[in-house]
Amino acid sequence: MPTGSDSRALYERVADSLRTSIERGELAPGDTVPPEQELAESHGVSRQTVRQALQQLTNEGLLSSGRGRGRTVRSQARLRWRLSHFESQGNHTADADAWANEVQDQGHLPLQEVSVGLEIPPKAVAERLNLDPEKDIVVVRRRLRYVDDVPFQVADSYFPEDLARGTALMQPKNVSVPGGLLASIGRAQTRMVDEIQIRMPTKDESSRLGLPAGTPVAEHMRTGYDADGLPVRVMVTIAPGDRHTLVYELDAS
Amino acid sequence: MPTGSDSRALYERVADSLRTSIERGELAPGDTVPPEQELAESHGVSRQTVRQALQQLTNEGLLSSGRGRGRTVRSQARLRWRLSHFESQGNHTADADAWANEVQDQGHLPLQEVSVGLEIPPKAVAERLNLDPEKDIVVVRRRLRYVDDVPFQVADSYFPEDLARGTALMQPKNVSVPGGLLASIGRAQTRMVDEIQIRMPTKDESSRLGLPAGTPVAEHMRTGYDADGLPVRVMVTIAPGDRHTLVYELDAS
C-alpha cells in the first residue's frame, strides 16, 4: 500500500503493481488487462491515473496498445538469429538462402521481398567499403523479410558496383546459390565484423515493420571481407527487439 | 507544408520536421532545441502541440528531457564493446581485468563496484548451468561499472557454488589475475554462447543506470564452457543502447 513517504507519482505505483504481476506471470502473454474501472477501484485512483499507468507499460513494450479492444500482455517469443553461423557456406543451399534456412530450421515460414538499386553509398557504408561517396556507387539489395507472414526484419546489402556489375548480385529477386552469392562470383566472405547498436526505431522503420509502441530495434551492421582482406559487402539489418534473440557462439582464444 | 490529405496528427508533423533536422545535422548533439514559443509560431501550431512533439522525440531517445533548462539533442557517442575479444586470456592482466583493459584501451576511465552473494539461481541461469533451482545455489558477483564516473553497465556473473567455493571468485572486491579468475582455478572458458535481447529497461535498471527516457538496453547473457564442455559461468550484462556499440569479429567457415 502506498505510504505518505512514497514519492512516486500515483500512476507509477499502479504501473509498478501491474509490472510485478506480469513479471510473476500472474498476467501472462495474451491475457487481457482488467478494465480501467476495475483497476481504478482496486487501486483507489481515478481512471485517468489508470490510463497513464497503462500508457507507461505500453511505452515499455509490456502491453499492446489495444485500440478499441482491451490492452493485452505482449508475447516476448523471439526467434533465435544465430549470427555466428547463419551465413556459413553450408547454410546457403540451392533451394534457399542462409536466412530462409535459418528460419525453416526453427519451424517457421520465411518469405523475402527483394529489390535492387544503384545508389550513392551512405557515409557509414562508404567508409567500410573503402569507397569515395563523391564518385563511387553501390549496388544495394533491399530485403523486407517476413516470418509466418508477419514483417520481421529489414536487411539491406551494399556491394561495390564494380564487384557486382554483370553478376547474379544484380538480379532483382531472391537468389539461392550453394555457398551464397558472393562465393558464386569467387569473392566469398572469410571474415566478418558485426557492429550492433540498440536504439528506438525511426518512424519509417516502425511503419514498415509494424512495430508496437515501446519496441526498440537492433541496427546490425555486418562488414564482410574476402580472402584477400578486401571489403566486399556491408549488410545493414533492422531487427525488432520483440522478435529476435541475437546469438553468437565463440571459441575463446 | 501540411496538406489537407495529410492524415498525421499535428504534433507528428512537428516531430517529423524536427527529426529531419536532427538526421541532417542541422540540429547537432548538444544543441538546444528552439524555444516552444518560437517553434509554435514557425509551425503555426499551439505550444501544447509543440510540447507533445518534443515529448515524442524524447521518448525516441533523440532529445534530453531537459527539465528546467531547454531540451537538447542527445549525443549518440558510444563505446565499442568488442565481445569476441574482451575476455580473451591476453586481455586479463595482473593490474586490470578484461573489462577495465577494454575501456582503458579506448582512452576512458573504468571503475567497478563489486559485491558477492550466495543465491538461488534464476531460472534462465539454472538451465544454462545445469543446476537444480530447488536445491543448488550459485555464487553471484555483481558489478556496477562506470566509465568516466558515469554509470555504464550492470554485469552479474553466476558460478555454481561448488566450483566457486574457497576460491578467489568469492572475494567481494575487484580481482585482477593474468588470464582471468576462471583460468586461475583451472576452469578457463574455452567456448562461449552469447544471447542478446533488445528491450526497454525495467524501472530498477533505469534508476541504477540513470537512463534518460527512450533509452533501450541490450540484455546480454554469456554462458561460458570449460575445456571439458561443462558450463562454468553465466554473465548477464545490461548494456544501455546510448552508451554501447556491441562488436563481434568472426571468421567465416
Side-chain angles (χ1 to χ4, degrees):
Chain A
M1 282 287 91
T3 71
S5 66
D6 190 332
S7 67
R8 293 173 300 164
L10 269 180
Y11 85 91
E12 288 179 338
R13 297 181 202 171
V14 178
D16 287 353
S17 155
L18 285 166
R19 197 186 294 105
T20 302
S21 299
I22 293 168
E23 283 166 5
R24 288 191 186 146
E26 294 155 10
L27 278 171
D31 282 359
T32 302
V33 176
E36 288 174 13
Q37 188 57 41
E38 188 178 321
L39 289 169
E41 283 166 18
S42 63
H43 288 85
V45 298
S46 70
R47 283 186 65 160
Q48 176 56 24
T49 298
V50 167
R51 247 175 252 135
Q52 252 186 302
L54 295 176
Q55 187 57 46
Q56 171 66 25
L57 296 175
T58 304
N59 291 345
E60 292 175 18
L62 295 175
L63 300 182
S64 71
S65 60
R67 317 203 166 169
R69 300 141 275 134
R71 294 185 200 244
T72 54
V73 179
R74 283 175 61 188
S75 158
Q76 306 290 331
R78 295 168 167 102
L79 211 76
R80 291 173 72 83
W81 190 26
R82 293 172 296 183
L83 283 151
S84 41
H85 290 317
F86 102 103
E87 291 199 302
S88 63
Q89 306 233 346
N91 217 3
H92 293 275
T93 53
D95 58 345
D97 71 358
W99 185 78
N101 275 319
E102 180 76 4
V103 172
Q104 280 167 347
D105 284 353
Q106 294 182 55
H108 296 277
L109 177 70
L111 180 74
Q112 306 188 63
E113 289 172 0
V114 178
S115 63
V116 174
L118 287 165
E119 294 185 7
I120 293 167
K123 186 160 163 285
V125 170
E127 280 171 12
R128 284 161 182 76
L129 291 177
N130 294 337
L131 297 179
D132 178 350
E134 299 294 317
K135 64 185 220 306
D136 293 324
I137 61 173
V138 286
V139 169
V140 54
R141 296 181 67 80
R142 296 189 184 283
R143 282 153 302 193
L144 177 54
R145 290 170 163 168
Y146 297 80
V147 170
D148 301 333
D149 296 325
V150 175
F152 193 72
Q153 59 173 225
V154 173
D156 298 336
S157 284
Y158 298 87
F159 305 92
E161 190 271 341
D162 61 358
L163 179 152
R165 193 185 308 144
T167 74
L169 291 169
M170 307 287 277
Q171 290 193 44
K173 60 176 185 183
N174 199 21
V175 184
S176 306
V177 186
L181 275 175
L182 281 165
S184 78
I185 61 167
R187 303 292 292 272
Q189 301 176 102
T190 61
R191 194 170 74 87
M192 297 179 292
V193 177
D194 287 4
E195 297 165 275
I196 305 166
Q197 299 202 339
I198 313 302
R199 57 171 175 76
M200 298 312 285
T202 64
K203 185 145 182 170
D204 177 59
E205 290 161 357
S206 275
S207 83
R208 288 182 75 189
L209 289 163
L211 302 181
T215 307
V217 297
E219 177 184 314
H220 180 275
M221 185 178 287
R222 167 167 287 185
T223 306
Y225 299 85
D226 69 8
D228 296 326
L230 296 172
V232 291
R233 183 182 72 152
V234 171
M235 176 171 65
V236 180
T237 306
I238 305 301
D242 61 346
R243 293 156 217 193
H244 292 78
T245 299
L246 281 53
V247 181
Y248 287 89
E249 302 193 16
L250 307 168
D251 284 320
S253 54
Chain B
M1 284 283 92
T3 70
S5 65
D6 190 333
S7 68
R8 293 172 300 163
L10 269 181
Y11 84 90
E12 288 180 337
R13 298 182 202 172
V14 178
D16 287 353
S17 155
L18 286 167
R19 196 185 294 104
T20 302
S21 300
I22 294 168
E23 284 166 4
R24 288 192 185 146
E26 295 155 9
L27 279 172
D31 283 359
T32 303
V33 175
E36 288 173 12
Q37 188 57 41
E38 188 180 319
L39 289 169
E41 284 166 18
S42 64
H43 288 86
V45 299
S46 70
R47 282 184 67 159
Q48 176 56 24
T49 298
V50 167
R51 247 175 252 134
Q52 252 186 301
L54 296 176
Q55 188 56 47
Q56 171 65 26
L57 295 175
T58 304
N59 291 345
E60 292 175 18
L62 296 175
L63 300 182
S64 72
S65 60
R67 313 198 172 173
R69 302 141 274 135
R71 294 186 199 243
T72 54
V73 179
R74 283 176 62 187
S75 159
Q76 306 289 331
R78 296 170 166 101
L79 211 76
R80 291 172 74 82
W81 190 25
R82 293 173 298 183
L83 283 151
S84 40
H85 290 317
F86 102 102
E87 291 199 303
S88 63
Q89 307 232 346
N91 216 4
H92 293 274
T93 52
D95 56 347
D97 71 357
W99 185 78
N101 276 319
E102 179 77 3
V103 172
Q104 280 166 349
D105 285 352
Q106 294 182 54
H108 295 276
L109 176 72
L111 180 75
Q112 306 189 64
E113 288 171 1
V114 178
S115 64
V116 174
L118 287 165
E119 295 186 8
I120 293 167
K123 185 159 165 285
V125 170
E127 280 172 10
R128 284 162 182 77
L129 291 178
N130 294 336
L131 297 178
D132 179 349
E134 299 294 317
K135 65 184 220 302
D136 293 323
I137 60 172
V138 286
V139 169
V140 54
R141 295 180 67 80
R142 296 189 185 282
R143 283 154 302 194
L144 177 54
R145 291 170 162 167
Y146 297 80
V147 170
D148 301 334
D149 296 326
V150 174
F152 194 72
Q153 58 174 226
V154 173
D156 298 337
S157 284
Y158 298 87
F159 305 92
E161 191 270 340
D162 61 359
L163 178 151
R165 193 185 307 143
T167 74
L169 291 169
M170 307 286 277
Q171 289 194 45
K173 59 176 186 182
N174 198 22
V175 184
S176 304
V177 186
L181 275 174
L182 281 165
S184 78
I185 62 168
R187 302 293 292 271
Q189 301 177 100
T190 62
R191 195 170 74 87
M192 299 180 289
V193 177
D194 287 5
E195 298 165 276
I196 306 166
Q197 298 202 341
I198 313 302
R199 59 172 174 76
M200 297 314 285
T202 65
K203 187 147 182 171
D204 177 58
E205 291 162 354
S206 274
S207 82
R208 289 182 75 190
L209 290 163
L211 301 182
T215 307
V217 298
E219 177 184 314
H220 180 274
M221 184 176 288
R222 167 167 287 184
T223 306
Y225 299 85
D226 70 7
D228 296 326
L230 296 172
V232 289
R233 183 183 70 151
V234 171
M235 175 171 67
V236 181
T237 306
I238 305 301
D242 61 346
R243 292 156 219 195
H244 292 78
T245 298
L246 280 55
V247 180
Y248 286 90
E249 302 193 17
L250 307 167
D251 285 318
S253 53

